[in-house]
Each structure stands twice: as structure tokens, then as C-alpha cells.
Amino acid sequence: DQQVKQNSPSLSVQEGRISILNCDYTNSMFDYFLWYKKYPAEGPTFLISISSIKDKNEDGRFTVFLNKSAKHLSLHIVPSQPGDSAVYFCAATLHLSSGSARQLTFGSGTQLTVLP
Amino acid sequence: SAVISQKPSRDICQRGTSLTIQCQVDSQVTMMFWYRQQPGQSLTLIATANQGSEATYESGFVIDKFPISRPNLTFSTLTVSNMSPEDSSIYLCSVVDRGYGYTFGSGTRLTVV
């Protein structure tokens, strides 16, 4: 059972426009969500995260929105740049009452291509 | 955030042999994980590396195939044993750094021929 889903394997946008990447999850216990960017032959690079107590988090060109009732999150990149072309993974986790972290559950990824 | 050095970055191995991947962190971390990314797939957790005790494996992964060591809070190894072409993947170590920060190594691209 895939607990984190990214239903769009690929997305192409024009440079300067907005990129919207979507992610759905099924486990209502998840309380922390992250987005990673991955280039070929490199490890995932952390982009932005959001706790379940928030519905929006912004960092420069990147904004993550969380809709808990719909179990949906999205990553907005604006303006998109050719250097943003990569595979984007969303991930989710839940934290133990002790405060210690647990492993991440990843979506299948979305290949973003930003066209110049 | 923590800096992770993962070696080797890539290798081509004969089937039936074993490869040990090393993960060195520049600071002490409480949690270390090993993931696998098969071609065209997402990242799948293999196991949690526990310091001073046996690793905790996810469903579908066993210690005999993927033995893990974690002798201290900055170092871990993953061995892929008795390899077959199906083990061709990218293997990644990950640490939890200062609370909720998850950092990944650069990965080991393994090809089994």
C-alpha cells in the first residue's frame, strides 16, 4: 500500500511561470512533510518542509501548502528556472511522543522540466 | 546541517559477490537510515541503523542479505551480499540532524553484472 503518492510522473513548465507539484497521502498519522529535489547521480537535497500544525510554509521561491482534510500537499515554485529541472520527491513521517524522528516515506517522484 | 561522506560513489560488481558501502558523518547523529532507489522508482527504506545493536529491517529486507554495522554515532556500513542483477540500485544513507532535519548522502550507484 503506497502511503505517499505523486500521481504526475512528469511536468513541463515555461521558465518564469509557476510550477505546481502535487502529493497525496493516506496515513493520517503523518505529521511532518518534506520536499526533496534530486539530480541524477546525486542524493536528494532537502528543499522545504511543513509541520501538520501549519497549512503553508514559504522559503524564497518555494512554498509548500498542506490541506490536512484532503490529505494533500503541494509545492509551488515561482518563478521557475531551468536549474529547477530535476526529480522532486515528497516525503512524510510521524514523530514519536518522545520527540525522536522516524524514517521517511517517499512518493514516487515527479520529473520537472523547466523550458527556457 | 550534517555533512555525509558516502563511499564508493559507484561500482560495477560481479553477481555472487558482496559490496560494502560506507557512510561517514561529520557530527554525531542519533538516527541513521539506509535507503534504496531502484531504477525509475522511489526511495525505499531498507533499515534503521542502531548504534551498538542490530539494525531494524523493513519488510522485505533481511540481515543476511543486507548486514549493517553502526559502531558509533558518526559511522555506518551497509553490505549488499551475494549480489544479483536485481540489486542494481542507488543506495543512500540518511541521518536525522538536529531534530527534524533529514540529510542524505550522495548515494552509491551499484550495477551488478
Side-chain angles (χ1 to χ4, degrees):
Chain A
D1 175 35
Q2 204 174 352
Q3 297 189 65
V4 179
K5 299 179 185 178
Q6 292 175 257
N7 292 318
S8 298
S10 62
L11 173 69
S12 291
V13 299
Q14 209 67 38
E15 180 178 6
R17 306 294 292 268
I18 185 171
S19 296
I20 300 176
L21 298 103
N22 294 304
C23 180
D24 297 292
Y25 61 96
T26 58
N27 188 344
S28 58
M29 297 297 290
F30 287 142
D31 60 2
Y32 192 64
F33 305 88
L34 308 90
W35 283 94
Y36 283 85
K37 174 181 179 180
K38 188 178 183 302
Y39 295 113
E42 292 185 14
T45 302
F46 171 75
L47 275 177
I48 193 169
S49 62
I50 188 167
S51 164
S52 61
I53 62 173
K54 294 186 174 181
D55 55 17
K56 177 182 174 182
N57 189 26
E58 188 172 356
D59 183 1
R61 296 187 297 115
F62 302 92
T63 303
V64 56
F65 295 92
L66 175 62
N67 182 333
K68 282 183 292 183
S69 60
K71 295 192 182 67
H72 176 83
L73 63 154
S74 61
L75 174 68
H76 293 209
I77 307 173
V78 56
S80 302
Q81 300 172 354
D84 295 330
S85 298
V87 177
Y88 288 77
F89 290 97
C90 71
T93 189
L94 64 92
H95 289 99
L96 302 173
S97 56
S98 62
S100 59
R102 295 198 64 184
Q103 70 272 18
L104 299 176
T105 300
F106 283 87
S108 53
T110 297
Q111 170 70 57
L112 174 65
T113 303
V114 180
L115 305 168
Chain B
S1 61
V3 176
I4 300 174
S5 173
Q6 187 174 337
K7 293 186 223 183
S9 59
R10 59 176 60 228
D11 208 341
I12 301 174
C13 300
Q14 297 288 326
R15 71 171 65 206
T17 63
S18 298
L19 175 72
T20 296
I21 303 167
Q22 298 181 359
C23 180
Q24 178 73 55
V25 191
D26 69 343
S27 59
Q28 293 186 341
V29 293
T30 52
M31 307 288 287
M32 293 182 77
F33 305 100
W34 286 98
Y35 288 83
R36 178 175 77 179
Q37 184 186 17
Q38 294 179 298
Q41 304 293 317
S42 184
L43 284 76
T44 301
L45 181 69
I46 297 171
T48 302
N50 300 310
Q51 193 261 330
S53 65
E54 197 169 284
T56 304
Y57 289 85
E58 297 300 302
S59 175
F61 298 96
V62 295
I63 187 172
D64 290 345
K65 176 67 175 176
F66 298 102
I68 288 171
S69 79
R70 190 175 173 198
N72 55 53
L73 292 176
T74 64
F75 186 78
S76 178
T77 66
L78 167 75
T79 299
V80 186
S81 303
N82 188 24
M83 289 184 283
S84 66
E86 293 70 35
D87 295 320
S88 297
S89 296
I90 299 173
Y91 292 85
L92 296 139
C93 72
S94 173
V95 303
V96 176
D97 178 29
R98 296 184 199 134
Y100 299 162
Y102 294 78
T103 304
F104 284 82
S106 54
T108 297
R109 182 178 293 271
L110 171 63
T111 303
V112 184
V113 297

